[in-house]
């Protein structure tokens, strides 16, 4: 039992140690996940508080400290709307002013609520002009080739 017994006992201890470490790591992973989830919930509540403050004071009455932040949010919102509109144009879509859904730019009426889309002017055709090539340019090119 001395050599074989020692080997068996060593293997058994090592196995129990590995199982314990695995359980500990699994427990740590669960706790870390709960910590991150709780942090995200806290950040969400902070965001809700900020949104409520913005909704209450965006029309005026905010302290000077927050007035700059409110103006920044309004500017960024305008930029976002412009980007969204540009994206729709590139995709050949138009947003309905009544229901907010999008339809193809060529439609006269919204396919969702039936509201009339504003008329969009037809895009102007680009005039393509070809460069004027002088005969002398060809003569120089012939000389270079030879």
């Amino acid at each position: 039992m001395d050599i074989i017994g020692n080997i068996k006992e060593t293997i058994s201890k090592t196995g129990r140690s590995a199982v314990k470490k695995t359980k500990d790591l699994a427990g740590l992973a669960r706790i870390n996940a709960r910590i991150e989830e709780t942090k995200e919930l806290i950040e969400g509540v902070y965001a809700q508080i900020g949104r409520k403050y913005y909704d209450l004071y965006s029309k005026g009455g905010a302290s000077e400290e927050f007035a700059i932040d409110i103006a920044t949010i309004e500017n960024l919102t305008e930029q976002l709307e412009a980007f969204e509109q540009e994206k729709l144009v590139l995709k050949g879509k138009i947003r309905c002013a009544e229901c907010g859904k999008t339809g193809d730019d060529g439609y006269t009426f919204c396919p969702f609520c039936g509201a009339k889309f504003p008329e969009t002017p037809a895009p102007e055709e680009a005039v393509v002009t070809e460069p004027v090539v002088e005969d002398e340019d060809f003569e120089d090119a012939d000389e270079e080739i030879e």
Side-chain angles (χ1 to χ4, degrees), residues 17-119:
S17 176
V19 167
K20 182 181 180 329
K21 287 181 180 182
T22 302
K23 286 181 182 178
D24 290 347
L25 285 175
L28 268 174
R30 278 192 302 274
I31 290 171
N32 282 336
R34 288 179 181 158
I35 288 170
E36 289 305 312
E37 182 180 302
T38 303
K39 285 180 179 179
E40 288 175 11
L41 290 171
I42 291 169
E43 288 300 315
V45 173
Y46 279 137
Q48 287 177 353
I49 291 169
R51 166 80 58 189
K52 288 176 183 177
Y53 187 91
Y54 175 80
D55 290 342
L56 281 173
Y57 296 107
S58 63
K59 302 298 183 219
S63 67
E64 189 174 314
E65 176 184 3
F66 292 106
I68 295 170
D69 294 328
I70 288 172
T72 301
I73 288 172
E74 290 170 355
N75 288 335
L76 290 171
T77 301
E78 288 175 12
Q79 286 179 14
L80 180 62
E81 289 170 1
F83 292 145
E84 291 288 346
Q85 181 61 34
E86 186 176 342
K87 180 175 132 182
L88 287 175
V89 168
L90 289 173
K91 291 172 80 175
K93 302 284 184 181
I94 188 168
R95 184 172 313 281
C96 177
E98 295 297 318
C99 69
K101 294 186 179 179
T102 59
D104 288 339
D105 192 21
Y107 289 177
T108 305
F109 296 96
C110 175
F112 301 99
C113 72
K116 186 170 174 60
F117 283 144
E119 290 185 27

Side-chain angles (χ1 to χ4, degrees), residues 125-137:
E125 290 187 29
V127 177
V128 178
T129 59
E130 294 189 28
V132 177
V133 179
E134 300 288 332
D135 288 336
E136 295 171 4
D137 293 336

